[in-house]
């Protein structure tokens, strides 16, 4: 092959020279033609192998690596912000400098450059103006949709509808890909027990098993098989244990045991990696005293060696540089060294790798082999996405227009939003309200009207004005009714006598009062920790005054996290938890209020009884002195002023119908390793409406070499039942479901006594015993 090429080049050159000599002498025209043909052959023969679309990726990468200077290799590991700031703007060199760096081959990827036209323009600089023409990767935080905004990930997870979750991710990917993006910083796989932490909104809640199921679905939905221009690379983040920040305070210290790391925090990242995620993002926090970005145990030992991750690792915003502030790296050069030595690869925003990699290579502190391995992984995805052959494949203005915010996407967003809503309380069946009848409805609450407060920060390129507010959705659905609106409180959630008086006057003329309380969406997400995640005093006062009217009160609670609801309980007949639902908020809320959608969501985080109870979670340990239900409570693990139990447990959610669980059966009371156990339970819809129920199966190992949680979710089924319908649900328990990790990450399956529980939430369950031989 190579010989043939050399030969071809040689002949082309001879012919070209020959033609040149003969020019203008004899046979003028023929010779010029001859010369042109020869030149074309020469150019073709000169095309480097890495540009040959027919060559295998591996060979193309090898060829390219041979041509790259150390500076260009460092460039491939450099990611710069090219648009809005999603982190501190310090040290930003400005747009012109970034373009110049791109021209010099010193940028491998941009984040926050979006739109078919914008990405095309930037790509042109890299491809047409840099020496080797290596295309850029464009990345963005597409957390719950790109233009069509879906419910926040935490809310969406409350649907327990894994098929819908995967579909939502695939729509987000499709819209993002049409806007020139190749890569999204999603899914967030951080398990957290702490609603003080604003970022719980981005995850799937407190449970490692469910978190793993959701992580895998999101990765699959985003990535597909990455060979069309309708999917994007996923990024499992933030590796690892970011959800355990102390006190729920953003960017704070993490100090978890290795047992907790392996059993509670790592499983969802692992599931995302196993599902094929192309990239993993470091976390800001320390683990075992070492910043995650420079943590060899996390990145090299676990991710690379144990899990066999073949994609690439990207830092979080400036997190390489922040290792200096943490007190782990002495200076920027040391930060670059420590990050690369740990196995981290691409540097988002701190520019320490682009500045110091060549020097570290020269000094022999890092090897060319390692650098090549890192760069190879980045290049691999650029080839895999087809960018070397068509750098503008994703940046297609016509496709962008045709793909975004379509009616079909909005319909899926509405379905997802319907299924995300959790009904927490419904005294005397105050809900649903029949939309066919004429009801006088008082709709109160500033957040029901204000689109600016509907959304969190992570709405990508979605627009609040495109969304349906609760007021709009309710007016549309209840066209036969008379809806009167009153603010009730101010944008910050506080209230005053005038606002409350007005709301009360509005309520007095109504048959039913619906009050949207909670938090502005602006208080959900990164850098939004709250010491007191509860309903504001102003809103409690409002509800108290409205309750005094004697009218039935329905609270719609919107927030990006579970709030402490204890203070409002006495004043409301129903609580509908509406989270942050996205583009279709108003439609979905009206669907549920009217009963057109029978609520089916179940919490994926426990709702604390009081702030002082946080962290409160269902899969806790028994302690040596657990609190009994009755009898002598002294010298037991308890609070003197509040219950141990959360206000609403994990897995909880009501429906407009009722479900009954009965006749729990095991195929055997003793299970042998390698032969699964069958669990059967009868589920009956005992109410008068069709609806979905999420049946949950939990396990407890009674004695083990490492103590096990009092319950751990191992399976679930989302089933639809007509009134009166009964289904026998069967679950299979395998060895895997009984396994746990020790602190070194070894898997244990230990014989002994177990309990299995099945029910509609983590508290109200049937149970049976079995043993593993
Ligand atoms: C966040 C990441 C995000 C990144 C880029 C960081 O501040 O922690 O989740 O992907 O910024 O916007």
């Amino acid at each position: 092959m190579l010989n043939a090429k050399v030969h071809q080049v040689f002949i082309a050159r001879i012919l070209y020279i020959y033609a040149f000599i003969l020019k203008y002498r004899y046979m003028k025209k023929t010779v010029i033609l001859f010369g042109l043909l020869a030149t074309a052959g020469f150019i073709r023969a000169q095309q480097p192998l890495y540009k040959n679309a027919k060559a295998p990726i591996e060979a193309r990468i090898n060829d390219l690596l041979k041509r790259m200077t150390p500076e260009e290799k460092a460039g491939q590991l450099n990611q710069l912000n090219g648009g809005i700031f999603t982190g501190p703007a310090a040290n930003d060199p400005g747009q012109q400098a970034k373009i110049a760096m791109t021209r010099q081959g010193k940028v491998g990827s941009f984040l926050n450059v979006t739109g078919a036209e914008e990405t095309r323009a930037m790509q042109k600089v890299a491809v047409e103006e840099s020496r080797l023409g290596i295309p850029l990767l464009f990345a963005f935080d597409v957390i719950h949709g790109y233009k069509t905004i879906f419910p926040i990930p935490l809310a969406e997870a409350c649907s327990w509808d894994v098929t819908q979750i995967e579909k939502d991710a695939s729509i987000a990917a499709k819209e993002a890909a049409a806007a020139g993006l190749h890569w999204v910083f999603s899914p967030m796989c951080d398990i957290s027990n702490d609603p003080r932490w604003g970022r719980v909104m981005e995850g799937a809640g407190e449970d490692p098993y469910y978190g793993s199921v959701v992580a895998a679905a999101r990765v699959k939905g985003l990535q597909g098989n990455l060979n069309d221009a309708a999917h994007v690379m996923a990024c499992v983040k933030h590796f690892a244990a970011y959800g355990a920040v102390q006190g729920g305070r953003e960017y704070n210290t993490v100090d978890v045991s290795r047992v907790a790391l392996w059993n509670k925090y790592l499983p969802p990242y692992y599931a995302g990696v196993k599902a094929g995620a192309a990239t993993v993002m470091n976390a800001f926090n320390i683990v075992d005293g070492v910043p995650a970005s420079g943590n060899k145990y996390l990145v090299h030992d676990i991710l690379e060696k144990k899990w066999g991750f073949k994609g690439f690792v990207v830092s979080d915003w400036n997190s390489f540089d922040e290792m200096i502030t943490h007190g782990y790296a002495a200076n920027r050069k040391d930060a670059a060294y420590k990050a690369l030595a740990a196995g981290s690869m691409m540097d988002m925003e701190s520019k320490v790798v682009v500045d110091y990699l060549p020097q570290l290579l020269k000094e022999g502190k890092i090897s060319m082999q390692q650098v090549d391995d890192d760069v190879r992984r980045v290049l691999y995805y650029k080839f895999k996405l087809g960018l070397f052959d068509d750098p503008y494949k994703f940046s297609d203005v016509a496709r962008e227009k045709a793909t975004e915010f379509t009616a079909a996407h909005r319909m899926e967003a509405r379905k997802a939003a319907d299924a995300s809503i959790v009904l927490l309380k419904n005294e005397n069946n105050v809900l649903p309200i029949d939309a066919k009848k004429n009801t006088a409805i008082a709709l109160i609450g500033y957040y029901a009207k204000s689109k600016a407060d509907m959304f969190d920060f992570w709405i990508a390129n979605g627009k609040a004005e495109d969304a349906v507010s609760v007021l709009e959705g309710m007016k549309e659905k209840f066209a036969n009714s008379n809806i009167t609106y009153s603010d009730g409180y101010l944008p910050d959630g506080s209230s005053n006598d005038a606002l409350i008086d007005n709301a009360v006057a509005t309520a007095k003329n109504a048959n039913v009062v619906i009050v949207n309380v909670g938090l502005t969406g602006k208080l959900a997400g990164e850098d939004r920790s709250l010491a007191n995640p509860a309903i504001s005093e102003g809103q409690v006062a409002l509800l108290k005054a409205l309750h005094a009217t004697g009218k039935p009160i329905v609270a719609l609670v919107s927030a990006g996290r579970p709030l402490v609801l204890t203070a409002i309980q006495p004043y409301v007949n129903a609580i509908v938890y509406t989270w942050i639902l996205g583009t279709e908020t108003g439609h979905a809320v009206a669907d549920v209020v009217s009963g057109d959608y029978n609520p089916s969501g179940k919490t994926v985080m426990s709702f604390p009884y009081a702030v002082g109870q946080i962290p409160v979670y269902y899969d806790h340990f028994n302690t040596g002195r657990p609190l009994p239900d009755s009898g002598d409570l002294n010298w037991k693990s308890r609070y003197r002023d509040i219950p141990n139990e959360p206000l609403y447990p994990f897995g909880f959610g009501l429906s407009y119908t009722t479900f009954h669980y009965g006749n729990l059966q095991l195929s055997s009371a003793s299970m042998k390793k390698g032969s699964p156990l069958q669990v059967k339970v009868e589920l009956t819809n005992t109410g008068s409406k069709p609806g979905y129920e999420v049946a949950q199966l939990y396990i407890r190992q009674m004695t083990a070499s490492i103590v096990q949680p009092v319950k751990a979710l191992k399976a679930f089924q989302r089933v639809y039942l007509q009134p009166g319908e009964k289904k026998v649900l069967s679950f299979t328990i395998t060895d895997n479901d009984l396994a746990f990790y020790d602190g070194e990450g070894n898997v244990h399956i230990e014989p002994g006594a177990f309990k299995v529980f099945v029910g509609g939430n983590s508290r109200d369950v049937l149970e049976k015993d079995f043993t593993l031989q």
Side-chain angles (χ1 to χ4, degrees):
M1 167 92 177
L2 202 68
N3 276 345
K5 197 149 262 167
V6 171
H7 197 64
Q8 214 180 340
V9 171
F10 182 72
I11 293 175
R13 279 189 185 155
I14 300 278
L15 290 176
Y16 187 77
I17 293 164
Y18 180 62
F20 189 75
I21 294 167
L22 292 183
K23 204 159 94 180
Y24 301 118
R25 293 191 62 189
Y26 324 99
M27 305 178 299
K28 201 168 159 192
K29 281 182 190 152
T30 325
V31 168
I32 289 175
L33 181 67
F34 197 33
L36 287 174
L37 284 174
T39 309
F42 174 60
I43 290 169
R44 201 170 40 243
Q46 280 297 60
Q47 188 196 48
L49 182 61
Y50 77 92
K51 292 203 168 163
N52 180 351
K54 295 208 178 93
I57 291 185
E58 206 49 34
R60 297 176 78 181
I61 296 177
N62 290 338
D63 177 65
L64 181 53
L65 281 172
K66 272 192 230 132
R67 297 167 191 269
M68 293 171 78
T69 62
E71 287 73 17
E72 284 164 337
K73 288 180 182 175
Q76 287 306 303
L77 301 178
N78 186 32
Q79 183 182 58
L80 295 183
N81 178 43
I84 54 152
F85 283 84
T86 48
N91 310 324
D92 185 68
Q95 202 65 3
Q96 286 317 312
K98 290 177 207 170
I99 292 174
M101 285 175 78
T102 307
R103 223 171 256 134
Q104 291 159 16
K106 288 189 172 174
V107 186
S109 169
F110 274 100
L111 76 151
N112 299 343
V113 178
T114 63
E117 255 176 54
E118 293 81 349
T119 51
R120 182 174 274 267
M122 197 58 113
Q123 189 70 296
K124 194 163 177 281
V125 178
V127 173
E128 295 176 28
E129 298 171 32
S130 76
R131 191 178 76 90
L132 293 167
I134 304 174
L136 295 161
L137 287 173
F138 294 107
F140 195 38
D141 290 287
V142 177
I143 308 297
H144 51 117
Y146 178 75
K147 266 272 163 67
T148 308
I149 305 303
F150 289 85
I152 54 167
L154 183 68
E156 189 196 44
C158 292
S159 70
W160 299 66
D161 184 347
V162 183
T163 312
Q164 184 71 44
I165 290 172
E166 188 174 328
K167 194 182 284 170
D168 298 351
S170 75
I171 293 171
K174 196 171 172 192
E175 292 192 358
L181 293 163
H182 310 122
W183 180 16
V184 297
F185 296 135
S186 194
M188 195 265 236
C189 301
D190 303 322
I191 292 296
S192 184
N193 294 332
D194 200 330
R196 289 171 298 185
W197 190 45
R199 298 199 82 167
V200 294
M201 60 148 286
E202 292 174 56
E206 73 188 35
D207 181 63
Y209 166 79
Y210 186 58
S212 303
V213 173
V214 173
R218 288 184 172 145
V219 168
K220 285 186 201 148
L222 291 169
Q223 286 199 171
N225 49 19
L226 273 189
N227 61 4
D228 48 22
H231 291 86
V232 291
M233 298 195 294
C235 183
V236 161
K237 70 186 190 183
H238 306 82
F239 193 64
Y242 183 25
V245 282
Q246 287 178 350
R249 201 184 75 210
E250 186 65 299
Y251 315 126
N252 201 6
T253 298
V254 164
D255 194 2
V256 293
S257 72
R258 288 267 171 114
V259 168
L261 183 70
W262 277 98
N263 290 284
K264 178 101 181 170
Y265 295 101
L266 291 182
Y269 309 111
Y270 183 36
V273 166
K274 270 199 299 188
T279 69
V280 170
M281 186 185 289
N282 300 124
F284 287 125
N285 52 277
I286 57 170
V287 170
D288 283 339
V290 177
S293 300
N295 196 311
K296 194 165 168 295
Y297 178 64
L298 288 180
V299 184
H300 180 269
D301 298 356
I302 297 177
L303 186 60
E304 302 260 322
K305 290 285 162 262
K306 211 155 180 134
W307 295 352
F309 176 63
K310 296 278 183 284
F312 67 90
V313 180
V314 63
S315 78
D316 202 347
W317 183 287
N318 201 36
S319 68
F320 286 178
D321 188 294
E322 285 174 18
M323 290 198 288
I324 306 170
T325 334
H326 271 293
Y328 185 67
N331 49 45
R332 296 183 72 239
K333 181 174 165 193
D334 193 32
Y337 168 66
K338 286 188 168 138
L340 294 170
S344 297
M345 295 163 195
M346 188 179 276
D347 174 0
M348 183 199 295
E349 271 296 283
S350 48
K351 299 176 267 316
V352 295
V353 169
V354 74
D355 286 350
Y356 294 101
L357 182 141
Q359 208 176 321
L360 291 168
L361 263 175
K362 226 181 257 161
E363 291 167 6
K365 289 198 84 178
I366 46 171
S367 69
M368 188 59 93
Q369 197 192 332
Q370 190 203 322
V371 171
D372 281 356
D373 180 56
D374 292 355
V375 175
R376 174 183 297 280
R377 289 163 181 248
V378 175
L379 293 175
Y380 172 80
Y381 280 101
K382 295 187 174 184
F383 279 108
K384 166 114 180 124
L385 290 167
L387 299 179
F388 276 90
D389 309 320
D390 180 2
Y392 309 107
K393 187 172 164 190
F394 288 67
S395 309
D396 178 332
V397 177
R399 193 177 64 229
E400 181 179 35
K401 272 211 187 101
T403 308
E404 285 174 357
F405 208 60
T406 62
H409 292 178
R410 293 187 63 175
M411 200 186 75
E412 294 301 334
R414 181 171 183 165
K415 273 168 39 186
D418 282 347
S420 300
I421 293 172
V422 184
L423 179 67
L424 292 173
K425 177 176 180 176
N426 194 17
E427 220 171 55
N428 306 324
N429 292 329
V430 55
L431 288 176
I433 303 166
D434 190 344
K436 284 182 222 89
K437 294 195 182 140
N438 180 353
T439 312
I441 299 173
L443 180 57
I444 291 161
Y446 180 78
Y447 302 148
K449 185 185 71 177
S450 166
K451 294 193 184 182
D453 291 277
M454 274 177 71
F455 286 117
D456 56 295
F457 176 66
W458 297 124
I459 57 165
N461 279 340
K463 301 267 170 293
E465 57 270 25
D466 289 341
V468 182
S469 71
V470 169
L471 182 58
E472 286 168 347
M474 286 292 292
K475 282 197 162 162
E476 188 183 315
K477 176 80 72 181
F478 290 87
N480 296 332
S481 293
N482 180 20
I483 298 186
T484 45
Y485 169 83
S486 168
D487 279 346
Y489 53 87
L490 295 165
D492 67 358
S494 64
S495 194
N496 56 44
D497 288 348
L499 286 168
I500 293 178
D501 290 349
N502 189 287
V504 167
T506 309
K508 280 187 178 153
N509 294 322
N511 308 122
V512 57
V513 184
I514 301 178
V515 197
N516 191 162
V517 291
L519 297 177
T520 163
K522 292 174 189 150
L523 281 176
E526 184 175 353
D527 184 23
R528 269 74 169 175
S529 291
L530 291 174
N532 189 17
I535 304 290
S536 69
E537 280 177 21
Q539 292 180 351
V540 175
L542 170 69
L543 288 168
K544 196 172 175 182
L546 292 169
H547 173 74
T549 63
K551 306 282 178 175
I553 311 283
V554 174
L556 308 173
V557 187
S558 45
R561 63 183 102 209
L563 294 176
V564 178
L565 302 174
T566 317
I568 69 166
Q569 282 284 350
Y571 311 123
V572 297
N573 303 94
I575 301 178
V576 184
Y577 219 78
T578 63
W579 307 103
I580 294 173
L581 292 173
T583 299
E584 292 293 311
T585 298
H587 284 150
V589 169
D591 286 343
V592 163
V593 169
S594 64
D596 283 353
Y597 184 84
N598 184 359
S600 59
K602 304 255 189 181
T603 58
V604 292
M605 284 186 82
S606 307
F607 276 61
Y609 186 93
V611 171
Q613 204 187 34
I614 298 171
V616 59
Y617 49 97
Y618 88 93
D619 57 342
H620 59 81
F621 301 100
N622 204 31
T623 81
R625 295 184 181 192
L627 187 67
D629 291 337
S630 56
D632 185 3
L633 306 184
N634 288 316
W635 311 111
K636 297 289 169 9
S637 176
R638 64 168 165 157
Y639 295 106
R640 290 281 175 161
D641 52 348
I642 59 164
N644 279 6
E645 294 304 315
L647 190 62
Y648 296 109
F650 175 86
F652 180 82
L654 300 170
S655 160
Y656 295 149
T657 192
T658 46
F659 295 98
H660 178 260
Y661 288 81
N663 202 13
L664 177 65
Q665 302 265 347
L666 303 186
S667 55
S668 163
S670 100
M671 176 178 165
K672 286 201 185 76
K673 268 197 191 170
S675 50
L677 191 73
Q678 300 303 325
V679 180
K680 284 195 167 30
V681 70
E682 285 174 11
L683 176 64
T684 314
N685 181 343
T686 47
S688 58
K689 296 190 167 62
Y692 284 103
E693 167 69 340
V694 180
Q696 303 152 41
L697 182 145
Y698 299 85
I699 276 179
R700 174 173 179 190
Q701 180 159 17
M702 304 308 291
T703 313
S705 59
I706 291 171
V707 296
Q708 293 301 301
V710 295
K711 276 182 195 128
L713 182 74
K714 296 295 173 185
F716 62 92
Q717 288 180 32
R718 185 171 186 264
V719 275
Y720 192 73
L721 291 182
Q722 295 295 335
E725 189 182 350
K726 182 202 283 185
K727 265 190 191 157
V728 177
L729 308 182
S730 35
F731 297 90
T732 306
I733 297 177
T734 65
D735 296 355
N736 220 10
D737 299 317
L738 310 182
F740 61 86
Y741 291 104
D742 62 25
E744 271 76 56
N746 303 308
V747 175
H748 291 238
I749 301 171
E750 297 178 358
F754 288 80
K755 277 186 192 298
V756 58
F757 313 89
V758 181
N761 64 67
S762 62
R763 182 189 60 202
D764 307 310
V765 287
L766 303 172
E767 67 174 78
K768 282 261 183 221
D769 297 323
F770 69 95
T771 54
L772 176 70
Q773 309 261 297

